[in-house]
Amino acid sequence: MTDRTRRSLLGHLAPALLVVMWSSGFVGATFAAPVAPAATTLLWRYVVAGTLMVVVVLALGRRYGARYLRREAVLGALGQAGYLYGVFRAVEEGLPAGTAALLASLQPALVAVVMSGFGRGRGTGAGGGRGGGRESTSSGGRRQAVGMAVGFAGVALAVGPDVAAGNGAAGALWAVLGMLSLSAATVLGDLWPAPDEPGEHDVLDSLAVQGVVALGIFAVLALANGQAAPPSDPTFWLAIAWLVGLAFLGGYGMYLYVQRTRGPVAVSTWLYLTPAVSAAWAWAMFGQDLPLLTVAGFVVSLAGVLLTRPTRRAADETRPGAPVASVRSGP
């Protein structure tokens, strides 16, 4: 298999891999919650992941300038530390994995709205396409707006009754705060151009720098709360292995890859599909209930993601390397 064929295959499989791997993080949080506080789990997740990434980049002889390190540090603090702490605290408060994922899936709508304000959304070019581009932009914008409204409706259908009754309100708040942090990282990663430096930085470099930054943040947090020591329960280390292998390397790796190749709105929109996958995993592994309203909410959200996907023409106009709406590297 040639390199070009492998890249093409990865490009086609990446969104599906993103959904599965990203969902694993919510399941891993549920896995670890009974045996350790959120700060403890996140600290040791990044002790393992951060050490692994440092060994890899040192072995490869990677070098980073101050501007690159500054950019990745900010994006890592928002997109990894802030987002994950919100999600893990939500699960710690008793929020089911699927519900936490559903609240986090509000991110696509927020990202698209903010990016459209900068003229950077999918289907919106920097000045529009040639010969009918304006019409395409208008049509794509309407479909995207309808799709996001449908996605919101799905979230409200699944989560609204419980939150309105006061059940899981604290967990829901933590999930929303985490979602806002990831949204900020996604938007900032597109608007803040990567510095021109000798050598090419890729997903591996972002994971390494951001992982070390997250490790530092969670070390301070865990030590300040007296929660740095790992529990003796072997389940904890199984959860850490799950979170490093599937959620960190797989989930964040696919997130960064899809964002770089398809853009910030596209990667965020695919996250609409993670709640159903997270809920299915939690049902199979932990026996968590799947109420009818929650299932209905997942289905409605799926309809939303299908509506927000760009048409073939819009995707061609905004693909990396096209003359309209170039895609910058992500967090």
Side-chain angles (χ1 to χ4, degrees):
M1 184 181 293
T2 65
D3 287 343
R4 183 175 181 180
T5 302
R6 280 195 294 268
R7 286 196 298 269
S8 176
L9 181 62
L10 178 60
H12 283 93
L13 293 178
L17 290 173
L18 166 67
V19 172
V20 173
M21 296 297 185
W22 195 265
S23 301
S24 73
F26 297 95
V27 178
T30 304
F31 199 13
V35 297
T40 306
T41 301
L42 289 166
L43 168 62
W44 287 97
R45 163 182 168 152
Y46 278 99
V47 166
V48 176
T51 301
L52 174 64
M53 298 308 297
V54 168
V55 169
V56 170
V57 297
L58 287 178
L60 294 174
R62 300 296 180 97
R63 296 289 184 269
Y64 311 118
R67 292 173 60 198
Y68 180 80
L69 290 174
R70 183 166 57 249
R71 177 182 185 270
E72 295 299 317
V74 172
L75 299 179
L78 291 169
Q80 296 206 34
Y83 170 67
L84 287 174
Y85 190 67
V87 168
F88 276 65
R89 282 300 306 271
V91 173
E92 192 174 65
E93 292 287 344
L95 200 67
T99 306
L102 199 61
L103 284 167
S105 74
L106 290 168
Q107 188 223 15
L110 182 59
V111 168
V113 168
V114 174
M115 294 304 295
S116 66
F118 290 96
R120 299 293 298 276
R122 273 299 192 214
T124 59
R130 294 186 181 94
R134 187 169 299 174
E135 181 182 350
S136 174
T137 298
S138 176
S139 175
R142 284 194 297 270
R143 288 182 71 255
Q144 192 176 72
V146 172
M148 280 183 271
V150 172
F152 266 119
V155 172
L157 184 63
V159 181
D162 283 343
V163 172
N167 301 324
L173 177 60
W174 278 111
V176 170
L177 290 174
M179 176 272 296
L180 292 173
S181 189
L182 180 61
S183 298
T186 303
V187 173
L188 189 59
D190 190 71
L191 298 178
W192 187 354
D196 293 326
E197 294 182 356
E200 230 179 274
H201 297 138
D202 55 22
V203 171
L204 172 65
D205 301 299
S206 291
L207 283 176
V209 177
Q210 293 183 23
V212 171
V213 169
L215 169 59
I217 292 173
F218 289 128
V220 171
L221 183 63
L223 289 169
N225 293 330
Q227 298 175 334
S232 58
D233 193 321
T235 302
F236 176 78
W237 295 109
L238 290 175
I240 294 300
W242 176 290
L243 289 166
V244 171
L246 293 179
F248 178 75
L249 297 177
Y252 271 101
M254 284 296 100
Y255 183 90
L256 293 169
Y257 178 82
V258 174
Q259 182 177 20
R260 289 169 186 240
T261 56
R262 301 195 178 205
V265 174
V267 72
S268 297
T269 301
W270 278 102
L271 297 187
Y272 262 140
L273 305 183
T274 59
V277 177
S278 300
W281 279 32
W283 170 77
M285 293 179 63
F286 311 116
Q288 290 186 355
D289 292 337
L290 279 175
L292 185 58
L293 273 178
T294 301
V295 174
F298 293 157
V299 172
V300 173
S301 289
L302 173 58
V305 77
L306 293 176
L307 282 170
T308 53
R309 289 179 65 186
T311 62
R312 181 179 297 275
R313 176 178 178 180
D316 289 342
E317 289 176 351
T318 54
R319 73 186 186 278
V324 179
S326 61
V327 177
R328 300 179 183 177
S329 60

